[in-house]
Amino acid sequence: MSINIKNNVFWIGKIDWELRKFHGDEYSTHRGSTYNSYLIKEDKTALIDTVWAPFSKEFVSNLAKEIDLDKIDFIIANHAEIDHSGALPELMRHIPDTPIYCTANGVKSFKGHFHKDWNFNIIKTGDRLSLGKKELIFVEAPMLHWPDSMFCYLTEDNILFSNDAFGQHYASEYMFNDLVDQAELFNECIKYYANILTPFSPLVIKKIKEVLAFNLPLDIICTSHGVIWREKPEQIVQKYMDWADSYRENQITILYDTMWDGTRVMAEQIAGGIKKGDPKVKVKLFNLAKTDKNDVITEVFKSKAILVGSPTINKGILVSVAGILEVLKGLKFKNKSASAFGCYGWSGESIKIISTMLKELGFDVADEGLKAMWNPDNKSIDSCFEFGKQFALNTLH
Ligand code: FEO
């Protein structure tokens, strides 16, 4: 199956309806995903990226129905991660001498993955490749998402092939942004940004400004995952600029785990206090043992502040809480406040452990946190409510 995008440009990828975990077990894909490959049939023919390895044979077989494989003049490999390059070994078995255009880091990654000495051609930002009347212009985009990543732009048709950037893990029979449910689309976009691109936010802003400085008209953005942005493609560019700039909504998120319900009771009382302190703030609660971690991270990304709660166990904290703090360590969220809370029976180290970790992760820790002995009594419950109220007043105003 192929889909015509514009003139001689075609989508020739794979819609993966079944995918529920990506990057091993690291990223949840509730709505599946797609691996987008593109075929440009001008005087010269270029193939941009392939698909994930399990779909290699299916991909090459489909491609061969679309074009005589020997007629592919250039392979453009925007990114070496195997969700885009996984079908290369199968393809290169058929056309072993076809030149592959990629960055210098791409060559290292391809050789590292596949141990093949294919006909690599190294590109740099600003390099051009003629397809006849139209050209591809290359832009290196290191760390969006790997050191080897790059974009390319097709002149005349004004299409940016952005690989991972501006993508979403979103399977749909409709491969264009104007045809899908907008709430679903943007939920997947912000989740993708929060969980994958947040650590690289300074590079996102720099790269977008660099691409805009070329002053190239932009009609379509063809990403490597999810839908193609053909209606107002600048809207996702603007979203990325917003998300990369220490993004916050008027939201406080409470993350906790609980053993015998005491820390849950604390969480709910704190939430009530926050609403008292600022009735307009959105408050969301998540039991970390029962919630998908990528969905939790997306809510943290949207928040002005978070509260993290764990009872004390063996002088430590519950594993689900430790796990989310470990994930947050790599994401380097900025401009967010935080505090800790939790029940304890006799030693009560949890809030100190959580507070220390939150500080190390770059959160602005607002206070010393709140602990309650055994299950909270009426006095403790009042303290939780007041603690939430003060937290809202201190962190939102
Ligand atoms: Fe979709 Fe970084 O690969």
Side-chain angles (χ1 to χ4, degrees):
M1 179 182 102
S2 71
I3 299 171
N4 183 229
I5 296 169
K6 182 177 183 182
N7 297 327
N8 300 318
V9 181
F10 298 85
W11 175 91
I12 180 86
K14 173 69 188 173
I15 301 174
D16 189 348
W17 293 96
E18 286 191 354
L19 190 77
R20 289 296 176 269
K21 290 285 179 185
F22 188 70
H23 280 165
D25 201 27
E26 189 249 336
Y27 189 101
S28 60
T29 48
H30 306 314
R31 296 187 173 97
S33 192
T34 75
Y35 318 106
N36 299 339
S37 169
Y38 300 97
L39 188 63
I40 307 173
K41 296 187 203 169
E42 291 293 327
D43 297 339
K44 297 284 188 181
T45 296
L47 177 74
I48 300 179
D49 293 322
T50 66
V51 300
W52 189 27
F55 303 105
S56 295
K57 286 198 184 299
E58 180 181 334
F59 171 74
V60 173
S61 162
N62 281 344
L63 186 60
K65 286 180 198 145
E66 202 64 34
I67 189 166
D68 177 351
L69 297 180
D70 290 323
K71 291 213 163 67
I72 297 174
D73 296 292
F74 314 115
I75 295 169
I76 315 299
N78 278 335
H79 184 17
E81 195 164 9
I82 58 158
D83 47 329
H84 311 293
S85 70
L88 264 183
E90 175 65 16
L91 180 62
M92 298 312 281
R93 223 168 44 77
H94 295 269
I95 46 172
D97 300 323
T98 307
I100 298 175
Y101 287 75
C102 62
T103 61
N105 278 327
V107 176
K108 287 185 204 163
S109 296
F110 287 121
K111 288 189 175 176
H113 278 310
F114 303 122
H115 314 291
K116 298 282 187 191
D117 205 10
W118 291 319
N119 179 8
F120 293 113
N121 290 255
I122 294 174
I123 64 85
K124 289 197 168 56
T125 293
D127 286 354
R128 291 167 177 253
L129 179 66
S130 175
L131 303 181
K133 294 181 198 68
K134 301 173 187 173
E135 285 182 307
L136 284 171
I137 304 174
F138 298 102
V139 181
E140 293 166 275
M143 299 319 294
L144 302 177
H145 152 238
W146 274 9
D148 65 273
S149 295
M150 69 177 191
F151 304 160
C152 56
Y153 175 87
L154 180 64
T155 60
E156 307 294 321
D157 288 330
N158 307 331
I159 301 176
L160 178 69
F161 298 91
S162 61
N163 200 265
D164 280 337
F166 311 124
Q168 343 82 44
H169 288 298
Y170 185 26
S172 169
E173 63 181 308
Y174 307 111
M175 282 299 299
F176 296 99
N177 70 307
D178 50 303
L179 300 181
V180 298
D181 182 295
Q182 297 300 291
E184 284 186 2
L185 171 61
F186 281 96
N187 275 339
E188 292 304 332
C189 287
I190 196 168
K191 177 180 174 182
Y192 186 94
Y193 190 96
N195 282 274
I196 297 175
L197 292 172
T198 301
F200 312 116
S201 285
L203 297 173
V204 169
I205 294 174
K206 192 164 159 247
K207 187 53 57 181
I208 288 175
K209 286 184 176 167
E210 187 187 319
V211 172
L212 293 178
F214 276 88
N215 266 330
L216 298 165
L218 183 62
D219 291 349
I220 298 175
I221 298 176
C222 288
T223 71
S224 63
H225 296 294
V227 297
I228 293 156
W229 299 91
R230 70 176 178 187
E231 185 181 85
K232 299 188 184 141
E234 63 280 1
Q235 64 182 305
I236 190 61
V237 178
Q238 185 55 52
K239 284 284 184 201
Y240 266 47
M241 291 297 273
D242 296 344
W243 292 337
D245 188 18
S246 301
Y247 183 72
R248 306 189 324 164
E249 295 178 13
N250 192 27
Q251 176 173 327
I252 292 178
T253 302
I254 303 177
L255 317 175
Y256 67 93
D257 196 355
T258 192
M259 288 171 71
W260 295 110
D261 250 7
T263 304
R264 178 186 65 77
V265 169
M266 289 184 79
E268 292 182 7
Q269 289 301 320
I270 291 168
I274 290 170
K275 289 303 276 187
K276 183 78 175 171
D278 186 338
K280 289 194 180 141
V281 71
K282 199 187 299 175
V283 182
K284 294 189 183 178
L285 291 85
F286 297 97
N287 181 324
L288 292 167
K290 300 181 181 183
T291 315
D292 178 275
K293 75 173 184 305
N294 302 109
D295 293 340
V296 166
I297 292 295
T298 309
E299 296 302 332
V300 173
F301 177 72
K302 292 193 252 178
S303 298
K304 283 183 177 168
I306 63 170
L307 288 130
V308 181
S310 172
T312 298
I313 176 167
N314 297 334
K315 299 188 177 178
I317 59 177
L318 290 176
V319 68
S320 65
V321 180
I324 208 76
L325 291 171
E326 180 63 22
V327 176
L328 285 171
K329 186 158 80 178
L331 292 173
K332 300 185 175 71
F333 286 131
K334 294 204 166 47
N335 199 23
K336 298 187 191 297
S337 301
S339 188
F341 65 96
C343 284
Y344 70 106
W346 47 96
S347 59
E349 289 87 349
S350 68
I351 63 163
K352 184 130 191 262
I353 293 169
I354 294 169
S355 295
T356 303
M357 288 180 80
L358 287 168
K359 276 183 206 156
E360 286 170 9
L361 303 184
F363 286 85
D364 179 11
V365 175
D367 50 51
E368 292 185 345
L370 182 69
K371 57 184 173 181
M373 199 166 189
W374 302 114
N375 268 338
D377 57 12
N378 285 343
K379 194 169 159 218
S380 279
I381 283 173
D382 289 347
S383 301
C384 291
F385 192 88
E386 185 59 23
F387 175 74
K389 184 174 148 195
Q390 290 306 321
F391 184 78
L393 293 172
N394 292 338
T395 59
L396 299 177
H397 302 99

